[in-house]
Amino acid sequence: MLETQETDVLVVGGSAAGLATARALQQAGLRFEILEATDAVAMPWRHHYDRLHLHTPRSSSGLPGMPMPRDYPRYPSRDQVVAYLEAYAERFGLRPRFGRRVTRLDRADGRWVADVAGGERWTARHVVVATGAARRPVRPSWPGMSEYEGDLLHSSEYRNGDPWAGRDVLVVGFGNSACELAIDLVERGARPHLSVRAPVNVIPRDMLGVVPVLQLGIAMRHVPTGLADALAAPLVRLTVGDITATGLRKLPYGPNTQIRRDRHIPLLDIGTMAHIRAGRIEVHGDIERFTHAGVVLDDGTWLEVAAVVLATGYEPGLADFLPEWRAVCDESGRPRVSGGATALPGLYFCGQFVSPAGMLREIGLESQRIAAAITGT
């Protein structure tokens, strides 16, 4: 029989969302426990590619109660974010229970019951799932994939482009990770190609090189999406130009609509478009099939590449441990509510939605709302 331990609130996950939630619960005077599957805080950040920097400015990326250090650059690096989250946990005495992977989360007799790998069990009136929207890599498949003899990896496994210097590499996708990996490949001497499967939006990370665009996103949050897109369009045309001239297809709606409707951040351009226009990054359509040495594209072009990097995103993977996920998620498995009460009493999610104002800022706001909902304030 499992020994059962209890607390007021269980927080599942010990990265930014879990730490921010724990701090909010701490301020509200609630007992809580953080269950973290790995052996350190901020583990998702530790596994990102070397070149990664925040696309949100330092000034608006701190969690509640502790700004990021002033000596950080405007856009902190991956390692600086890890150091910041470690310091955040230390400053507020947040002590996750490491090596606790939740395998099942159920309700019983008005409480939540969390089974942990290795034979531990916790119960609580409330549970906050802070495992993030990027818990599980999405790996599409194409015909012939098993025949491909080059390197095939997801962007979660990419560190830097050194192994492919002087060789052609295909990056599948046109999100911020895909385009930053393409820049990294250029800088490390490889010849990158991008497989862009759908229409896109592109906005500059900094308007006119000065104002971070996500600060404008904060100002536009309460403006209707159509109006926000109309106001932004002249600046986007001025700074980004006509993306269709490069072979890209443009979405029929603007970036604000894309964020709110599709829950997808448009490309925040930090140099990708300049490389494309200069011919250092080649743009292609979708993959039709793989061959032993490369791919055949949807226009019939055959492309020989030493590696294919799938920058095809992530999914929350909540069905892995939450049997009642359909009550709180859409058909794709993504929560309908993040930062507030869900359809299951006592269950909350933090950090599941993309935000035009930046994920860390949104996580901080959500954590405060969750604590207020739990305490009834």
Side-chain angles (χ1 to χ4, degrees):
M1 182 175 177
L2 293 177
E3 180 183 353
T4 301
Q5 304 179 72
E6 61 89 24
T7 188
D8 291 338
V9 188
L10 272 180
V11 179
V12 182
S15 194
L19 295 176
T21 299
R23 173 56 180 159
L25 298 172
Q26 184 183 66
Q27 288 184 298
L30 292 164
R31 290 188 308 148
F32 63 89
E33 294 288 345
I34 310 169
L35 304 182
E36 166 56 39
T38 68
D39 61 358
V41 300
M43 189 56 74
W45 287 93
R46 299 172 193 271
H47 284 257
H48 284 305
Y49 50 90
D50 296 346
R51 194 186 192 281
L52 178 67
H53 284 68
L54 285 181
H55 288 137
T56 52
R58 177 200 73 235
S59 59
S60 58
S61 298
L63 299 180
M66 182 175 156
M68 284 194 166
R70 290 186 176 183
D71 60 353
Y72 277 17
R74 172 181 282 185
Y75 297 105
S77 70
R78 175 200 66 181
D79 292 344
Q80 288 170 324
V81 174
V82 170
Y84 167 77
L85 293 175
E86 288 176 335
Y88 190 87
E90 183 64 29
R91 175 171 177 176
F92 297 118
L94 305 176
R95 302 282 185 264
R97 292 180 180 264
F98 295 114
R100 264 64 169 199
R101 179 174 61 86
V102 173
T103 59
R104 189 176 179 91
L105 200 54
D106 280 307
R107 290 181 298 164
D109 300 323
R111 295 179 67 82
W112 283 92
V113 180
D115 288 337
V116 177
E120 194 171 285
R121 174 171 286 172
W122 284 85
T123 74
R125 290 184 58 201
H126 307 275
V127 62
V128 182
V129 177
T131 50
R135 182 171 172 269
R136 181 200 293 157
V138 172
R139 302 174 187 266
S141 62
W142 288 268
M145 213 172 194
S146 61
E147 302 170 12
Y148 178 57
E149 297 173 358
D151 298 320
L152 179 61
L153 62 157
H154 189 269
S155 58
S156 59
E157 301 163 305
Y158 181 102
R159 293 297 168 263
N160 59 62
D162 287 347
W164 306 288
R167 298 191 286 172
D168 291 89
V169 177
L170 179 64
V171 180
V172 182
F174 198 77
N176 287 293
S177 292
C179 290
E180 191 161 5
L181 298 190
I183 293 173
D184 183 68
L185 288 162
V186 169
E187 293 175 346
R188 294 175 184 268
R191 295 185 295 271
H193 303 255
L194 284 168
S195 171
V196 186
R197 300 177 289 169
V200 298
N201 276 314
V202 180
I203 58 178
R205 185 183 64 180
D206 298 283
M207 283 291 185
L208 306 177
V210 178
V211 180
V213 72
L214 291 185
Q215 289 189 343
L216 296 179
I218 295 173
M220 292 284 193
R221 291 197 72 174
H222 302 294
V223 176
T225 53
L227 176 58
D229 286 334
L231 292 172
L235 277 173
V236 172
R237 284 195 297 270
L238 176 65
T239 54
V240 175
D242 179 14
I243 66 171
T244 62
T246 68
L248 294 166
R249 291 173 292 156
K250 189 182 183 312
L251 277 170
Y253 45 86
N256 293 284
T257 301
Q258 179 182 1
I259 292 168
R260 297 189 191 181
R261 190 177 84 178
D262 302 342
R263 296 189 190 177
H264 186 76
I265 296 288
L267 173 65
L268 298 172
D269 185 30
I270 58 172
T272 304
M273 295 306 300
H275 283 308
I276 290 173
R277 290 185 171 110
R280 292 183 290 268
I281 299 173
E282 292 190 31
V283 173
H284 307 276
D286 198 1
I287 297 170
E288 182 180 286
R289 60 185 172 87
F290 276 71
T291 70
H292 74 282
V295 298
V296 176
L297 300 165
D298 59 3
D299 64 357
T301 302
W302 182 76
L303 185 64
E304 182 176 347
V305 290
V308 177
V309 183
L310 304 177
T312 45
Y314 298 83
E315 58 190 9
L318 297 170
D320 291 348
F321 61 89
L322 183 64
E324 292 187 85
W325 66 271
R326 288 182 179 84
V328 291
C329 297
D330 61 22
E331 292 181 357
S332 71
R334 299 187 182 279
R336 296 188 181 93
V337 176
S338 188
T342 69
L344 294 175
L347 176 67
Y348 303 83
F349 296 102
C350 185
Q352 288 284 345
F353 289 177
V354 300
S355 167
M359 279 303 300
L360 289 175
R361 181 179 184 276
E362 186 67 19
I363 281 169
L365 295 172
E366 287 189 8
S367 68
Q368 302 290 312
R369 293 199 298 268
I370 290 169
I374 291 174
T375 58
T377 58

